Amino acid sequence: MIRNCKAPVSSSMIMNMRLHVSSAFKAKVAMSRFEPGTSISYEKLHENIDIVRKRLNRPLTLSEKIVYGHLDDPVGQDIARGRTYLRLRPDRVAMQDATAQMAMLQFISSGLPKVAVPSTIHCDHLIEAQIGGVEDLKRAKEVNQEVYNFLATAGAKYGVGFWKPGSGIIHQIILENYAYPGVLLIGTDSHTPNGGGLGSICIGVGGADAVDVMAGIPWELKCPNVIGVKLTGSLSGWTSPKDVILKVAGILTVKGGTGAIVEYHGPGVDSISCTGMATICNMGAEIGATTSVFPYNHRMKTYLNKTGRADIAALADEHKDDLIPDKGCKYDQVIEINLSELKPHINGPFTPDLAHPVSEIGAVAEKNGWPLEVKVGLIGSCTNSSYEDMGRAASLAKQALDKGLKCKAAFTVTPGSEQIRATIERDGFSKILRDVGGVVLANACGPCIGQWDRKDVKKGEKNTIVTSYNRNFTSRNDANPATHAFVTSPEIVTAMAIAGTLKFDPETDYLTAANGEKFKLEPPNGDELPARDFDPGQDTYQHPPAESGSVMVDVSPTSTRLQLLEPFDKWNGKDLEDLQVLIKVKGKCTTDHISAAGPWLKFRGHLDNISNNMLIGAINIENDAVNKIKNRLTGEYGGVPDVARHYKANGLSWVVVGDDNYGEGSSREHAALEPRHLGGRVILVKSFARIHETNLKKQGMLPLTFADPTDYDKIRPDDKISITGLATFAPGKPLKGVVKHGDGSQDIITLNHTFNENQVEWFHAGSALNRMKELQ
């Protein structure tokens, strides 16, 4: 039985800790935000590290220490970077509201009574930016009442903490409350690595992975390679922490970190604030990295102290040797960046790895025909919404105001948490940002994930926006494919919003004051942390009750927002014969292309309804169109989900064929659930992004890759493909694809996979959830 199978840990291994919040809250909620049993066991971490170091007989990187320190079986686990699968015991689970719906629906389906590890839900994705923070939050509570009620009651029923709408963005809340040096945390959002700024290993996953951990089952992760980024020199002037990851993204590209943890080290680390390190780790998701991490240092200690966790800082000091890399440790790849020479960067449009120095972007934009006018500047998001970020942006806004200027572009500000909102309001930053023309939005994701009711341009109108966000895929922010979105630091966003053009380089260019005087903006400045304690604002946390037997979790059978799950069918024991190619995708296909966010977020708890967005953003190689494919049964063209539904209704299973890094971007498992729900069996591509490949496996799909990437060119849009060799499906053993063309000819191709023995059982059972039930 799986029930209540949390691994026992002796009391001698654990130093129980009282985790505090800001001083204003200490008296009334000192333990309320942290579930019973929350503890930090540096002794256990050290014990496991010592076992593994002796076994491997070599120095360990920091990420290896934390990951291997959480092994379920440090004595017997096979450990080989990039090859073996590790079985781990994460300390905590965090879920944002858009993904928590499906995660909790799956947990309910498991039949388990309570979560086995501390877990939280964070309401940050469903709040649409429209007017301003107060009005938008009020409207969101009304529009999403059914979903919020489901998440609140499900949390109460199953022992999960619930951060109400308005609390803030999940990653900022984690940094302020739950992350600490040495913790292993998984979160159902791709930017969970934000916690690496506090010396944590925080990894983004799909909801089914979260269910495993909440069920007390060891969690599987392919043993990561380790990319070292050595930092020398120090940040100064206009250069910010964001420029580090913008530079790294340009070097490694959107798939260069796949299968690896990026570990920052070197003397330059100490010049970066804790929240600055979090910014760098956060956007590491854009290079496909499993996660990113910084070594424990005095900047982290200062942040822990300021956020009411001095006791954790004291323990981390005692165990510092386990929270930094061993001398002489080896990385699989090393990148060196001299922070003293690093220049401000701006990346885009349409992909986060297209890196440009700010000094060059104007000329590049002119050459490529990108709109020079900045229509909107947007600062905030989970990547850049710290006190320091807001202070530095406000310092620039104040200079403009002193010269009688306001922003030429529209300007929005998104605080990362209620604590940040309350503190920047108290300290005057919000007023300065509003006075320069800014609109302060709700403490939520907002435009960063497409929750933006944008009115200033029409769909299809070519325009430029500049953001301090992390991701800038086509249509992501405003559902307009003609919007050219660029990502940069909050400082550069603010400067460009004031100037109104991409051609403005604040290091060299002048502005014209209201009186006609020419002036240059002085480099931004801002305190790392508030001189006074943080103002925690409103208490927005709901702790699960000790006794939840009377709590009811209702899902109406007529709801359009929520739907209880039915188990997927088991494998029938036969090869997959004559799968119809549903669509052959051309070029980049992110999870935004596979399962769009924005207005579709409202259906994240209803699998059938959200499946109507499946692959509607993918480009069909047959006609270079989106959401227009040929139905091979009728001969007519239709939308991708409509054709898939027609195939399913007629008993025809199908396959998607794709290009490189398929499934790049968000962790959303809906991109895997939808194809399974609509009758898909195989996704066949050149290569996968890590999270999406795992999500597909969890739902009983077959994610396969061409052994020879040029075989992609052999597939025609009207082909049928049979997958053979499933009777002996096993780790490391390729499968065969029989590609049947319309003219009667065939191609036989070799198909690789990364399934291990447990994952093969997921396929046999029809899904990982089905397999979990079989083992109860």
Side-chain angles (χ1 to χ4, degrees), residues 428-471:
F429 298 165
S430 294
K431 183 179 187 306
I432 293 170
L433 295 169
R434 282 193 292 263
D435 287 348
V436 85
V439 175
V440 179
L441 301 174
N443 315 320
C445 299
C448 183
I449 49 100
Q451 285 285 55
W452 185 15
D453 185 20
R454 189 179 181 191
K455 302 291 190 184
D456 64 301
V457 296
K458 295 178 181 179
K459 190 168 184 177
E461 182 180 340
K462 198 173 177 181
N463 74 101
T464 284
I465 65 173
V466 180
T467 82
S468 70
Y469 303 162
N470 43 42
R471 201 163 275 165

Side-chain angles (χ1 to χ4, degrees), residues 83 85 222 697 704 707 725 728-735 750-760:
R83 291 198 296 109
Y85 280 88
K222 195 165 192 179
K697 293 177 183 178
L704 303 175
T728 56
F729 185 28
K733 185 176 181 181
L735 297 169
T750 301
L751 307 176
N752 292 336
H753 65 86
T754 61
F755 281 76
N756 63 23
E757 291 180 0
N758 288 335
Q759 294 166 353
V760 170

